[in-house]
Amino acid sequence: MDVLLLAEQGLNGLQLGVMLFLMAAGLTLVFGIMDLINLAHGSFYMVGAYLTAALVPVLGGFLPALVVAVLLTALLGLVVEAVALRTLYRRDHLDQVLATFGLILFFNELIRILFGPVPIFLNPPAALAGTVNLWGLTYPAFRLAILGTGLAVAVGLWLLIARTRVGMLIRAGATNREMVMALGVDVRLLFGLVFALGCGLAGLAGAMAGPVLAVQVGMGEQILILTFVVIVIGGIGSIRGAFAGALLVGVVDTLGRALLPASFRLVMDAASANAAGAAAASMAIYILMALVLAVRPKGLFPVG
C-alpha cells in the first residue's frame, strides 16, 4: 500500500480515536463514579450534532453554534440526570439499562418530530473547509481541527482531574464512592456535574462529527458500541485508559478497514476479498478487546 495512503488512514484512525475519547471520557466517569450504565449517552452525541446544525444559521457561524450547542447539551444532561436518572442509582444495572434504553427511544422520536427524518448535511467552517499539505500528504483541515480539539480536551481533562479539588473528588469517587459519601461530600451535586460534563463532551463529539458525517436520527447508537469497547479496553473509570483505548480502537478499526480487504485480494478474487476483508475489519476491535482482557482483565489502566 502507498505510504501516503497509509499515513492518511493513520490520521483518520487518530481522528476517530479522539472522537471516541470525547464520548468515552464522560461515559467512563459516569459508570466509574455513579455506577450507572447509561445507554442513552449516544443520544447526547446526536443532540449536540442537531443543535449545532440548527444554531449555525441563527448565530451566523460554526464556532459560536458549537459552543452554545455544547453548553445546551450539558444543561440537558443536568436536567435528565435530575429528573430521570437520580432514582436509578440504587437500582440494579438491568433497571438502568431498560430506563436508559427508553431514553434512546424518547430522544430519537423527539429529534424526528423537531427536525424530521431526513439527514442534515452540515458544512465545516469556511476557514477549515480546505486542505493542509503535510509533507506531501493532502489532508482535510477540519479533520486536523478535530484531532487538535480532542487532544486539547484530553489535556484539559487531565488538568481538571489531576490538579483541581473537583478532580480530586472525581478521582476519589471513582476509587471509593462510599468513602466520599461518608466524608460529607454533596454527592448529588458531584453526580450532576459529572453527568453534565459527560453529556457536554458527547455533544462536542457530535458537533465536530456533523461536518464529517450526516446528522441523522440514531447516529449515536453505532458510536456508542465503539465507546463501550474503548471503556472496557482502557479500564472503567479511567480517563487515561479512555484516551489510550480510544486511540487504539480508532487506529485498529480504520487501518483494518483499509488494509484487510487489500490483504485478502492476495489469496482470493476481488469480490470475495472485499466481503471477507469487511467482515474481518468489523471483528478487529473485538479481537483487540479480547486480547487486552486476556492479559489485563481490568483493562489497560484500571482505577484503584
Side-chain angles (χ1 to χ4, degrees), residues 40-183:
H41 196 68
S43 297
F44 294 99
Y45 171 86
M46 176 182 68
V47 167
Y50 269 98
L51 285 176
T52 303
L55 290 171
V56 165
V58 176
L59 299 179
F62 179 83
L63 183 58
L66 180 146
V67 172
V68 174
V70 170
L71 293 176
L72 289 177
T73 306
L75 181 61
L76 176 63
L78 199 61
V79 173
V80 169
E81 188 274 336
V83 173
L85 301 180
R86 191 165 289 176
T87 58
L88 295 175
Y89 296 147
R90 298 188 180 279
R91 307 286 288 272
D92 61 35
H93 288 160
L94 178 59
D95 291 340
Q96 296 171 0
V97 167
L98 293 174
T100 54
F101 181 75
L103 286 175
I104 293 177
L105 301 179
F106 171 80
F107 279 115
N108 283 348
E109 291 306 314
L110 180 62
I111 290 295
R112 188 176 285 111
I113 291 170
L114 293 177
F115 296 96
V118 180
I120 299 173
F121 296 94
L122 183 60
N123 293 321
L128 299 173
T131 58
V132 176
N133 190 288
L134 299 173
W135 301 283
L137 171 64
T138 301
Y139 198 73
F142 186 76
R143 287 182 178 268
L144 284 178
I146 293 175
L147 186 56
T149 300
L151 294 176
V153 170
V155 172
L157 276 177
W158 176 79
L159 291 174
L160 173 67
I161 299 297
R163 304 293 184 184
T164 67
R165 176 174 172 78
V166 172
M168 179 188 68
L169 293 175
I170 290 174
R171 283 184 284 118
T175 304
N176 195 325
R177 185 165 54 123
E178 289 75 14
M179 181 61 71
V180 172
M181 296 171 65
L183 290 174

Side-chain angles (χ1 to χ4, degrees), residues 33 38 73 93 95 158 170 184 222 229 233 237 243 275 289 301:
I33 295 174
N38 179 24
T73 306
H93 288 160
D95 291 340
W158 176 79
I170 290 174
Q222 183 60 42
V229 173
I233 289 176
F243 185 73
M289 180 174 68
F301 299 101

